Amino acid sequence: MVHAFLIHTLHTRSGDEAGLCRVLYSRVFGSERLDQLAEEPVPRDLEKERLGRKEQILAVARQVDSACKLLHQTSGRPASDFLIQLPDEPISLQDAPAGVFRLPPGDPFCENKTVLWLGVLSLGFALVCDPHENLMLAENTLRLMVKCLLEHLKLLSQGSDVVLKADKTEIILSKFLPHGQLLFLNDQFVQVLEKELSACLSK
């Protein structure tokens, strides 16, 4: 199962002064308790849990940001190669920086998690998965979702605000990642989902 999906800012240069990594959108699936003694009858502080989850998601975003920086530095290409993009130039997700890393228990979740990420210019997209998940299926799903997000929401257009498009982001997630469950996607099924998605987003 997928534990969470997030969109955040990326700063590919090590000395980037543009600001700290910011989470622009996140969706957490499931109801994993923050404390490791969830079975004990301790009253739940919902506000504390909400803030705790925000901190967990931000910790993931920061690690993705660091991983993307490291990948750019080791690629031998200048950071500007990854940042310059003409307004109408199509994005190639095939060449977009991507990676996977594991999170041990307590850093920041109670249990092991696997994070798959994809960087597109100044935006990072990540799936936080249970360690036994099919990583190839998770990567294909992430790339499909990012493709749809970029195409339908114009996230890279000047003046585009991810935060203001949360409702449409939810629609895309509900099609490709219902309740955090990965779907086995073949070409025909993907075409059906994309048609349904286009119909929903055009309303």
Side-chain angles (χ1 to χ4, degrees):
M1 180 175 174
V2 173
H3 179 73
F5 169 75
L6 57 148
I7 304 173
H8 58 90
T9 58
L10 285 177
H11 303 101
T12 55
R13 291 169 294 186
S14 57
D16 204 329
E17 299 296 334
L20 298 174
C21 180
R22 292 174 52 230
V23 175
L24 304 176
Y25 171 89
S26 67
R27 173 71 185 277
V28 176
F29 302 97
S31 57
E32 178 183 286
R33 288 287 296 269
L34 296 178
D35 55 278
Q36 296 193 27
L37 301 178
E39 68 277 4
E40 293 188 1
V42 179
R44 300 183 70 168
D45 186 333
L46 296 181
E47 179 63 15
K48 182 179 178 181
E49 288 197 14
R50 186 185 70 82
L51 294 175
R53 284 198 176 92
K54 284 183 67 175
E55 286 299 316
Q56 288 178 331
I57 294 299
L58 181 57
V60 173
R62 286 172 175 162
Q63 291 199 46
V64 171
D65 190 44
S66 297
C68 193
K69 281 194 185 83
L70 182 61
L71 185 62
H72 286 171
Q73 291 167 4
T74 57
S75 71
R77 295 169 59 188
S80 58
D81 284 2
F82 298 92
L83 296 175
I84 295 175
Q85 181 75 27
L86 298 176
D88 298 323
E89 186 179 346
I91 293 291
S92 173
L93 295 185
Q94 191 66 33
D95 300 326
V100 58
F101 57 85
R102 296 192 181 277
L103 297 171
D107 183 26
F109 303 101
C110 295
E111 301 175 349
N112 285 307
K113 300 294 180 189
T114 301
V115 177
L116 295 96
W117 63 270
L118 185 66
V120 185
L121 299 183
S122 60
L123 292 179
F125 303 83
L127 287 179
V128 180
C129 304
D130 289 336
H132 59 269
E133 267 300 356
N134 183 322
L135 295 185
M136 184 175 294
L137 180 59
E139 181 184 359
N140 290 340
T141 301
L142 178 60
R143 288 182 179 275
L144 274 171
M145 289 197 303
V146 171
K147 174 178 174 286
C148 288
L149 287 165
L150 297 179
E151 288 181 357
H152 290 285
L153 306 189
K154 310 296 183 187
L155 295 186
L156 299 179
S157 300
Q158 187 173 7
S160 179
D161 192 333
V162 177
V163 178
L164 298 179
K165 297 179 177 180
D167 56 337
K168 293 185 176 180
T169 302
E170 292 281 344
I171 292 173
I172 293 173
L173 279 182
S174 70
K175 294 295 181 185
F176 289 97
L177 200 62
H179 308 293
Q181 296 293 332
L182 291 171
L183 304 176
F184 286 94
L185 303 170
N186 56 37
D187 291 341
Q188 185 176 2
F189 189 37
V190 169
Q191 289 176 3
V192 171
L193 288 180
E194 288 180 337
K195 285 182 179 179
E196 291 179 358
L197 189 59
S198 296
C200 290
L201 294 176
S202 63
K203 292 180 180 178

